Amino acid sequence: MAKKSLIQREKKRQKLEQKYHLIRRSSKKKIKSKVSPLSLSEKTKMQEKLQSLPRNSAPTRLHRRCFLTGRPRANYRDFGLSGHILREMVYACLLPGATRSSW
């Protein structure tokens, strides 16, 4: 089980990312737009606006965690579970369609 403080920090990052998503996307789109070439000063203003946003609002700072334990590593995207918990659930026949490997 992950520390609760780390899980809460991740939830806070998710809220910040959702809050600033539109602002971040629109400012990036204006910087990269080739239709209306911005002057250098306008472009730097847009970059400063982008940099003034909180760091934790960037989507690259988000990290997937296990739905049950909060483990940050070995997560399966399809299930939202870590490999350890996924294996236990397959052995307990709690995941339909998943089979145990045996050789």
Side-chain angles (χ1 to χ4, degrees):
M1 186 76 179
K3 288 174 69 173
K4 292 187 180 184
S5 61
L6 296 177
I7 295 171
Q8 292 302 319
R9 188 183 307 163
E10 193 68 32
K11 287 180 182 178
K12 186 178 178 182
R13 284 184 184 144
Q14 287 174 350
K15 286 180 186 177
L16 276 174
E17 196 272 331
Q18 289 174 355
K19 182 178 179 183
Y20 291 104
H21 177 73
L22 294 175
I23 297 169
R24 187 175 290 277
R25 189 172 67 183
S26 65
S27 59
K28 279 191 171 188
K29 194 179 272 188
K30 287 179 184 177
I31 290 171
K32 291 182 180 181
S33 69
K34 293 183 179 180
V35 175
S36 61
L38 296 173
S39 68
L40 189 59
S41 62
E42 291 177 17
K43 199 169 195 176
T44 55
K45 285 180 186 176
M46 293 305 298
Q47 287 175 344
E48 287 174 2
K49 182 180 178 184
L50 191 63
Q51 288 176 352
S52 68
L53 297 176
R55 279 189 175 187
N56 283 335
S57 68
T60 55
R61 287 199 167 233
L62 293 178
H63 204 282
R64 277 192 311 276
R65 288 186 171 269
C66 177
F67 179 71
L68 293 177
T69 60
R71 180 178 161 83
R73 298 182 181 187
N75 282 317
Y76 287 84
R77 221 180 264 192
D78 297 337
F79 301 102
L81 299 169
S82 64
H84 176 68
I85 299 298
L86 183 72
R87 184 182 177 115
E88 287 179 0
M89 290 181 81
V90 169
Y91 284 157
C93 299
L94 296 174
L95 292 175
T99 56
R100 299 186 299 190
S101 64
S102 59
W103 63 91

